Amino acid sequence: MLRTLPRALRSLGPRAPARGWASRDAAPGAEIQVSALRGDRDAGIVEILMNRPKARNALGKVFVSELSDALDELRLDRSVRVLVFKSGVQGVFCAGADLKERAQMSEAEVAAFVHRLRALMNQIAAFPAPTIAAIDGFALGGGLELALACDLRVAASSAIVGLIETTRGLLPGAGGTQRLPRCVGVSLAKELIFTGRRIGGEEAKGIGLVNYAVPQNQEGTAAYQRSLELAREIVPQAPIAVRMGKVAIDKGMEVDIASGMAIEGMCYAQNIPTRDRLEGMAAFREKRPPRFVGE
């Protein structure tokens, strides 16, 4: 049984300080670019653009460092209601590990880098607001592991995804062996990992690997556009309740159901003193849309 308050609950209470983060110009040549969308429908949506075209967004040292730094900066900002991961490279979400860079590493350096890569995926999974991966192209190896660390995944029907590490003499090392079976079931995850099979967006939707598979458009941004639609459905909802719901699900899935119910109760208790809960009830009584402020 659960006896202590989960760490995520201690850090995500309704009175967590806001950072006041806003978009800023990325440094020239930055592989990770962050921008906050504007407008009535899009306020609260923040995008992480992965932009390493020469290496097809491969997970190299600079890429990993910049992404980790961006997540650290964003995680305490209450104005972030949804975080969308997208690619600036046509036809590619993320091609996985940078094997050329890794070939120059010693065994000790490889072990240290994979540990850092695993920590990055855990950062994404633990991000307090909902996260969406917009998969408009290849998501292979570590690229699929990155998408699996997100809460929701949208793929173009033409996208190709797979944990292909066994075809390279490796095994998934950044969470794939753990998150894929939790997503599609143990037996199917074993089949996909053992074979290193690549599957298309429609098949990924059929097995529950992605939430939506959409026909690709001429611009190559169909998954991104559908991800924005999904984000716009989340943004108007009470942000503290959404964040607490994420904690309850994520932490509850790691324990027995009795402990999970205790976690749900803790999350619910965190939400009771919020202004948004009172606003939701008032809006219902007054037959008007609620105006949630995240307090």
Side-chain angles (χ1 to χ4, degrees):
M1 287 290 293
L2 187 76
R3 298 187 182 276
T4 60
L5 190 66
R7 182 178 179 183
L9 284 177
R10 298 197 297 269
S11 63
L12 289 178
R15 295 178 178 82
R19 293 283 300 275
W21 180 91
S23 300
R24 65 183 187 279
D25 292 334
E31 297 179 5
I32 298 297
Q33 300 168 22
V34 183
S35 61
L37 302 189
R38 300 291 182 239
D40 293 340
R41 298 180 64 203
D42 295 339
I45 300 174
V46 174
E47 296 178 347
I48 288 186
L49 176 71
M50 302 180 293
N51 194 38
R52 193 188 179 201
K54 291 183 178 179
R56 294 161 58 86
N57 285 343
L59 297 164
K61 292 179 180 179
V62 172
F63 186 103
V64 169
S65 178
E66 290 184 4
L67 182 51
S68 179
D69 288 346
L71 291 167
D72 275 342
E73 185 171 355
L74 292 169
R75 64 179 300 274
L76 295 179
D77 185 355
R78 289 182 304 178
S79 71
V80 181
R81 296 197 179 189
V82 183
L83 185 62
V84 177
F85 289 79
K86 69 174 186 178
S87 171
V89 182
Q90 189 79 13
V92 177
F93 177 72
C94 175
D98 188 335
L99 296 183
K100 291 182 180 179
E101 183 178 89
R102 194 171 295 183
Q104 307 304 314
M105 299 179 186
S106 66
E107 290 184 4
E109 289 171 332
V110 169
F113 182 73
V114 172
H115 178 78
R116 187 176 186 188
L117 196 58
R118 192 177 298 119
L120 172 67
M121 303 310 173
N122 289 338
Q123 263 187 290
I124 296 170
F127 193 81
T131 54
I132 305 175
I135 307 169
D136 269 309
F138 286 92
L140 302 174
L144 180 54
E145 289 178 305
L146 192 158
L148 283 166
C150 294
D151 298 307
L152 306 170
R153 288 162 292 283
V154 179
S157 55
S158 59
I160 302 295
V161 304
L163 294 180
I164 62 170
E165 285 86 349
T166 56
T167 71
R168 303 288 189 268
L170 305 166
L171 73 154
T177 65
Q178 302 306 304
R179 293 192 174 97
L180 186 63
R182 285 168 168 80
C183 186
V184 303
V186 173
S187 182
L188 186 51
K190 286 180 176 179
E191 179 180 342
L192 292 172
I193 291 173
F194 294 170
T195 63
R197 186 183 303 152
R198 306 178 184 206
I199 62 175
E202 291 290 348
E203 185 175 353
K205 170 64 171 66
I207 64 174
L209 179 53
V210 301
N211 298 78
Y212 298 95
V214 293
Q216 188 57 282
N217 57 29
Q218 289 185 342
E219 294 77 20
T221 61
Y224 167 64
Q225 296 300 330
R226 183 64 184 90
S227 296
L228 276 187
E229 292 176 12
L230 186 55
R232 288 166 181 152
E233 288 186 67
I234 298 170
V235 163
Q237 315 315 323
I240 295 172
V242 169
R243 289 181 175 218
M244 289 295 101
K246 174 173 176 171
V247 172
I249 295 169
D250 287 350
K251 298 301 178 183
M253 290 298 294
E254 298 173 1
V255 298
D256 62 90
I257 192 166
S259 298
M261 294 295 287
I263 291 171
E264 181 185 89
M266 293 175 185
C267 290
Y268 198 93
Q270 292 262 320
N271 192 64
I272 288 176
T274 64
R275 288 175 54 189
D276 282 348
R277 185 182 71 90
L278 299 177
E279 166 62 14
M281 293 189 295
F284 178 77
R285 289 194 307 269
E286 298 164 12
K287 296 181 171 56
R288 61 171 174 81
R291 295 182 291 273
F292 296 124
V293 296
E295 297 178 358

